[in-house]
Amino acid sequence: MAERVGIAGIGLMGSALSAHLIEAGFEVQGFDVDGKRVDEFAERGGIPVESPAAAAKGSRWMVTSLPTSDIVREVVFGEGGIVETAEEGMILADATTSRPEDSERLGAELAERGIRFLDAAVSGTSTMAWEKDLIIIAGGEKEAFDACRPYFDAMSRAAYHMGPVGSGAVCKLIINLILAANRLALGEGLVLGTKAGMDMETLLTVLKDGACSSKTMIDKGPKMLNADYSPQGLVRISLKDSRLMLEQGQRFGSPMMVTSVWSQVAQAAYNKGLAEQDSVAFYEVLREMAGLENRVD
């Protein structure tokens, strides 16, 4: 008989995570507020349920993949929440990009109820998730992390234990900080190339083959050039993440100069009406600053 696991949050990332768990032979109980996502989940072989509590029922392991740590808390402790049915010893792995302090608090409160918790953030776009080209960075007890190996192996190409609860969330924010800076630099360079009248396809080819090459250029460069902002991540989520990064800079007294600029650019993209577009839609803000034509409605 297949092992039963649960998931709450079957959006851009959760859809891919749940699909891999199903493919690996797990019986996956899933909840989401978006009926369309639930229907797609059912078509892939998942078992739709009516609440996070129902997703947790009978599961030894469960994953949450949600927009913010505030929503995670509601899914755990709110009406129809996970704690209503979670059995003692269950492991809850939160794949949300969360505020580290929120993860620490949640982990401590769940421990009092006998529920083990990992802040198990994932690094990669939703497209990478479907290709199983993600890594998982987790904070929590090493024993709980080791117990999650079968699930992490099903969803990702690698998983890393970063330390106590909260350290996975900090690591994810550091990854996103560097990724955002990379994307911002790429956008700035491409705008300069456009203004200089260069052949942009050739320029991007050279950049990908040069010393500055990065995954971002391969994954996001064509989207910028073609104004293809079909979402693999969202501007509004990038903006939320930038604010979490700045909070951690204040928390630890660390300089956040690039992140400060990035957050302002992400805010401008949000205000431009691009909140639900792919995270690199900020490129249109840079183009507008350069006096180039607007390519989005």
Side-chain angles (χ1 to χ4, degrees):
M1 183 176 178
E3 180 182 347
R4 181 183 304 175
V5 300
I7 184 168
I10 320 174
L12 281 173
M13 188 63 69
S15 291
L17 300 182
S18 62
H20 290 311
L21 290 167
I22 293 166
E23 290 169 3
F26 294 103
E27 183 181 275
V28 185
Q29 300 177 151
F31 169 78
D32 197 281
V33 295
D34 186 334
K36 180 181 177 183
R37 294 290 187 185
V38 172
D39 291 343
E40 293 169 348
F41 169 72
E43 289 172 4
R44 289 191 295 270
I47 303 170
V49 293
E50 70 281 1
S51 68
K57 188 174 183 179
S59 301
R60 293 187 299 172
W61 179 86
M62 181 170 179
V63 61
T64 48
S65 180
L66 298 161
T68 69
S69 50
D70 289 338
I71 296 174
V72 173
R73 185 169 187 81
E74 178 64 23
V75 161
V76 171
F77 292 115
E79 184 178 352
I82 291 168
V83 296
E84 291 185 7
T85 60
E87 298 175 3
E88 185 173 349
M90 189 190 85
I91 302 173
L92 175 61
D94 180 27
T96 306
T97 301
S98 294
R99 178 179 290 106
E101 299 95 317
D102 292 346
S103 295
E104 293 165 10
R105 178 186 173 197
L106 183 59
E109 291 173 327
L110 287 174
E112 293 176 356
R113 297 169 177 261
I115 300 170
R116 295 178 287 175
F117 178 76
L118 295 173
D119 54 316
V122 296
S123 179
T125 66
S126 59
T127 298
M128 293 168 68
W130 281 106
E131 296 169 354
K132 203 177 166 182
D133 189 22
L134 292 176
I135 65 168
I136 294 173
I137 50 269
E141 294 180 357
K142 183 63 163 56
E143 182 182 355
F145 174 82
D146 290 340
C148 288
R149 279 290 183 187
Y151 318 113
F152 292 162
D153 287 347
M155 300 187 299
S156 69
R157 61 178 172 81
Y160 299 90
H161 182 243
M162 303 306 299
V165 171
S167 55
V170 172
C171 182
K172 174 61 184 295
L173 290 175
I174 293 171
I175 291 172
N176 282 7
L177 184 162
I178 296 169
L179 180 61
N182 196 324
R183 291 174 177 176
L184 183 59
L186 175 61
E188 191 170 301
L190 292 178
V191 168
L192 178 59
T194 301
K195 294 287 287 189
M198 302 186 75
D199 181 275
M200 296 307 293
E201 294 292 343
T202 301
L203 175 60
L204 182 57
T205 297
V206 169
L207 294 175
K208 290 190 290 187
D209 199 34
C212 62
S213 180
S214 69
K215 267 189 167 184
T216 272
M217 293 175 186
I218 298 168
D219 296 338
K220 298 296 189 179
K223 292 180 75 68
M224 292 182 180
L225 291 189
N226 299 320
D228 170 17
Y229 302 130
S230 53
Q232 298 170 332
L234 299 175
V235 164
R236 65 175 171 83
I237 298 298
S238 293
L239 177 59
K240 179 266 295 186
D241 290 354
S242 75
R243 292 170 176 167
L244 294 179
M245 296 170 201
L246 292 172
E247 284 181 6
Q248 295 307 300
Q250 292 178 331
R251 180 187 183 190
F252 294 110
S254 185
M256 305 291 284
M257 293 172 286
V258 173
T259 308
S260 296
V261 174
W262 161 247
S263 187
Q264 293 177 56
V265 174
Q267 182 69 64
Y270 184 97
N271 293 345
K272 190 176 171 64
L274 302 173
E276 302 301 319
Q277 301 297 306
D278 189 77
S279 52
V280 295
F282 76 86
Y283 182 58
E284 296 303 316
V285 173
L286 302 186
R287 286 177 53 89
E288 186 174 7
M289 292 172 69
L292 296 170
E293 75 275 11
N294 181 27
R295 304 183 300 171
V296 294
D297 296 328

